[in-house]
């Protein structure tokens, strides 16, 4: 569901920007946060019931992080732009690109380990990083939804944008810290392929 939802979320976010339509902007404001919440909950319940029913699989260990990355990167690419062209987006392009590089590198690491017959499951650092990704995405999305509904923040807008910038920079730092942790713990599988 998360993989299918990612392009739908992208369209819901960007159609009001492309068209400049206030009607589409209001509709998107009412749908983006609830839909994202539903699909993030599916991730939680998927993992919860897989562990509870002892149905954790190697496929799930690979596909679940892939689905997370698809959805999170889609939300992040949306956060580069805002319906309010004056205030601009919430995440600098350079932060997005560096996070994208990390996520692509992590998927490569998973493929190499998979070739060795090892499925790399989520580690604590990776889970914490994902929770912070989600929190940051929701924070910026709530601001964006308020803007699309015509709720002004006045002089506080620059503060809200600064908080979003700091949160996304923390996302970047956490992504590389967790990636280094994965490299340290699974580097033996990379060396076998060299």
């Amino acid at each position: 569901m998360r993989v299918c939802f990612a392009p739908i979320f992208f369209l819901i976010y960007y159609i009001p920007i492309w068209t400049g339509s206030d009607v589409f902007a209001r509709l998107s404001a009412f749908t983006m946060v609830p839909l994202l919440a539903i699909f993030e909950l599916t991730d939680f319940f998927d993992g919860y019931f897989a562990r509870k029913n002892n149905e954790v699989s190697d496929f799930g260990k690979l596909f679940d992080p892939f689905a997370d990355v698809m959805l999170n990167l889609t939300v992040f690419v949306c956060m580069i732009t805002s319906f309010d062209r004056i205030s601009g987006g919430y995440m600098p392009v350079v932060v997005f690109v560096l996070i994208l590089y990390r996520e692509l590198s992590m998927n490569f690491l998973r493929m190499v380990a998979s070739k060795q017959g090892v499925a790399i499951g989520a580690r604590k650092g990776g889970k914490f990083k994902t929770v912070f990704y989600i929190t940051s995405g929701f924070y910026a999305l709530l601001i964006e939804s308020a803007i699309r509904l015509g709720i002004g923040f006045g002089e506080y807008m620059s503060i809200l944008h600064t908080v979003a910038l700091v949160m996304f920079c923390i996302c970047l730092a956490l992504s590389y810290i967790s990636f280094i942790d994965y490299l340290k713990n699974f580097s033996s599988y990379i060396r076998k392929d060299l």
Side-chain angles (χ1 to χ4, degrees):
M1 289 173 72
R2 279 170 284 146
V3 170
C4 295
F5 175 67
I8 294 169
F9 181 88
F10 179 83
L11 290 174
I12 290 170
Y13 189 91
Y14 271 103
I15 285 174
I17 294 171
W18 295 332
T19 62
S21 167
D22 288 334
V23 173
F24 285 148
R26 281 190 217 91
L27 287 172
S28 67
F30 285 117
T31 57
M32 291 185 300
V33 172
L35 283 175
L36 186 58
I38 289 168
F39 284 96
E40 291 297 355
L41 279 173
T42 65
D43 181 29
F44 169 76
F45 287 124
D46 173 46
Y48 173 78
F49 286 112
R51 285 184 294 277
K52 182 180 177 184
N53 298 325
N54 201 25
E55 294 176 346
V56 176
S57 66
D58 286 344
F59 174 79
K61 287 179 184 176
L62 292 172
F63 194 73
D64 184 64
F66 172 76
D68 287 343
V69 167
M70 283 278 290
L71 186 55
N72 289 325
L73 288 180
T74 300
V75 171
F76 284 179
V77 79
C78 292
M79 295 300 105
I80 294 171
T81 312
S82 173
F83 186 71
D84 177 16
R85 297 186 193 278
I86 296 169
S87 62
Y90 308 93
M91 175 185 268
V93 174
V94 67
V95 172
F96 172 77
V97 170
L98 290 172
I99 288 175
L100 175 67
Y101 289 166
R102 181 272 184 200
E103 296 300 340
L104 292 175
S105 299
M106 188 65 216
N107 279 341
F108 178 75
L109 179 62
R110 288 183 196 281
M111 286 189 301
V112 170
S114 176
K115 187 178 174 193
Q116 301 292 333
V118 175
I120 297 177
R123 293 178 54 81
K124 285 182 184 178
K127 288 179 181 179
F128 182 70
K129 178 258 324 172
T130 300
V131 168
F132 208 83
Y133 274 17
I134 294 165
T135 304
S136 303
F138 271 113
Y139 172 79
L141 197 56
L142 286 169
I143 299 170
E144 179 66 16
S145 296
I147 289 170
R148 291 177 184 215
L149 291 171
I151 299 169
F153 294 107
E155 67 231 33
Y156 299 109
M157 181 55 82
S158 64
I159 295 169
L160 295 173
H161 271 268
T162 301
V163 171
L165 173 63
V166 168
M167 290 179 78
F168 287 126
C169 287
I170 293 170
C171 285
L172 176 61
L174 291 174
S175 72
Y176 278 90
I177 290 167
S178 68
F179 183 63
I180 290 167
D181 176 55
Y182 281 106
L183 282 177
K184 282 171 37 182
N185 283 281
F186 296 98
S187 61
S188 60
Y189 299 107
I190 297 171
R191 281 193 225 106
K192 284 181 186 175
D193 249 18
L194 294 177

